[in-house]
Amino acid sequence: MTAFVHLTVLLNETVAAVLANPDGIYVDATFGRGGHARHLLAQLGPNARVIGFDKDPQAIATGEALMREDARFEIIHDSFASLVPALQARGLLGQVDGLLADLGVSSPQLDDAERGFSFMHDGPLDMRMDTTRGLSAAQWLAQVSEAELIEVFKTYGEERHARRIARAVLAEQASAPILRTKVLADVIAKAHPSWERHKHPATRCFQAIRIAVNRELGDLEDLLAQSLQALAAGGRLAVISFHSLEDRLVKQFIAREAKGDDFPPGLPVTIAQMNPQLKKVGKAIEPSDAEIEANPRARSAHLRVAQRLDARGKALAAGASK
């Protein structure tokens, strides 16, 4: 079996952003190949606990190996959208000191042609992060309507030529099922009237289908909302995003929860009455030039950090209430 390499993005910055209580409880919502989780465990005490989530069976295998090495770690084969019920089942809701998420697709997923994520390698048109459940991209294309496909290309891919490309894809699908990544990429490339320099014409549409098949933005919205229940007062949320759709959701969520409830202009209210849930921590962090040179896939990464406030709208040190 080919060993695909994954370089963890913003490793030190992300772990430093969430690390406060050395014996605390932490969640790695996107375990992947364990880069962030391992770095976090290396800096935690013997009573700490780290819980990882991932949809990908290959990531789960890596996580199970780590469980055998380190009793402080546990891996859960599920979407991070199940955060709250998973914590409830373990009696840990509202006790998490740090929650991190590294969104998007990992390098092993992109580089393995059999996973069907990339237009650069011919393979079965799958794109599922969890290959044990749900529709593959080929199955999804076989049942999607023209209106839905146009909307997916337009919204999730921000593709200006969504209508033209969608019609070409469905015309091809009508003549013969699209089962391979190369076939789909070629259809999109032929239909695309305006190729961008240094960007494959299928880039946006492949991204859009992947997001739709995996319900990525819906799961992200669920994770962000549930983080308020999961985090202890003073706990940190750190999210790495790789495209504008993800980053916009994270940025707007933090801004909204840091503002609190709306009141009429001029009405005297206290911070507690405004009920802010989060405090924004610094500006978005981007990879250094050295990291981008070592790992070009890191170039679009943005790390945003927020801290959970207590009931009085104050940011306690993580673990202080324990």
Side-chain angles (χ1 to χ4, degrees):
M1 180 181 293
T2 303
F4 296 99
V5 177
H6 177 67
L7 299 176
T8 305
V9 174
L10 291 167
L11 175 62
N12 295 319
E13 295 88 342
T14 306
V15 170
V18 299
L19 183 60
N21 180 6
D23 288 313
I25 298 166
Y26 295 87
V27 172
D28 182 350
T30 51
F31 176 75
R33 294 304 182 267
H36 287 115
R38 288 180 183 277
H39 191 50
L40 184 58
L41 285 163
Q43 300 177 66
L44 294 176
N47 298 318
R49 189 167 179 181
V50 177
I51 299 171
F53 287 79
D54 212 292
K55 296 179 180 180
D56 191 326
Q58 294 177 3
I60 295 303
T62 301
E64 289 172 344
L66 180 56
M67 284 179 63
R68 293 190 289 271
E69 297 171 16
D70 195 324
R72 298 172 299 168
F73 179 74
E74 178 185 2
I75 189 70
I76 298 174
H77 185 191
D78 207 345
S79 164
F80 50 54
S82 68
L83 175 66
V84 162
L87 292 176
Q88 282 178 323
R90 291 160 176 78
L92 299 175
L93 194 61
Q95 300 180 44
V96 175
D97 294 293
L99 168 60
L100 66 90
D102 180 1
L103 305 175
V105 188
S106 69
S107 291
Q109 289 170 329
L110 284 172
D111 293 338
D112 184 354
E114 293 303 305
R115 300 300 301 272
F117 284 102
S118 177
F119 44 78
M120 302 300 292
H121 311 283
D122 184 38
L125 188 60
D126 195 314
M127 293 196 195
R128 289 174 297 168
M129 292 181 179
D130 186 347
T131 54
T132 68
R133 66 189 84 174
L135 296 177
S136 68
Q139 292 169 326
W140 182 81
L141 272 181
Q143 54 86 52
V144 71
S145 68
E146 180 180 302
E148 183 180 358
L149 188 57
I150 292 170
E151 185 61 26
V152 164
F153 285 167
K154 186 184 299 182
T155 303
Y156 296 161
E158 299 178 298
E159 174 56 67
R160 291 181 300 157
H161 306 286
R163 185 177 301 277
R164 176 173 178 163
I165 295 171
R167 287 176 173 172
V169 169
L170 293 182
E172 179 70 22
Q173 177 73 24
S175 64
I178 300 176
L179 303 176
R180 307 287 296 182
T181 55
K182 186 177 186 306
V183 173
L184 178 59
D186 288 347
V187 171
I188 294 171
K190 185 177 179 180
H192 205 299
S194 179
W195 291 25
E196 298 176 57
R197 191 177 183 186
H198 304 309
K199 178 177 283 190
H200 193 287
T203 301
R204 296 180 185 275
C205 292
F206 264 64
Q207 172 186 293
I209 294 172
R210 189 201 81 215
I211 290 173
V213 165
N214 293 289
R215 195 183 175 272
E216 291 180 35
L217 297 185
D219 279 7
L220 175 56
E221 289 177 327
D222 289 345
L223 173 68
L224 294 172
Q226 292 179 41
S227 70
L228 299 176
Q229 295 175 260
L231 289 167
R236 294 284 188 95
L237 169 69
V239 183
I240 303 171
S241 59
F242 288 85
H243 59 74
S244 60
L245 297 174
E246 295 170 338
D247 188 52
R248 192 179 304 131
L249 283 177
V250 177
K251 181 179 180 180
Q252 291 176 349
F253 171 77
I254 293 174
R256 182 171 64 251
E257 297 302 334
K259 178 182 177 184
D261 298 331
D262 286 326
F263 287 90
L267 185 68
V269 293
T270 65
I271 290 293
Q273 288 172 319
M274 293 173 66
N275 196 34
Q277 303 293 304
L278 295 174
K279 174 186 176 183
K280 177 184 173 184
V281 178
K283 298 181 179 180
I285 300 170
E286 298 179 356
S288 65
D289 291 341
E291 179 172 2
I292 293 172
E293 184 176 354
N295 180 17
R297 286 176 176 165
R299 64 185 178 277
S300 57
H302 290 78
L303 169 64
R304 295 189 185 274
V305 183
Q307 187 172 28
R308 184 72 165 98
L309 301 177
D310 69 2
R312 296 163 295 173
K314 295 183 179 180
L316 303 176
S321 61
K322 289 186 171 60

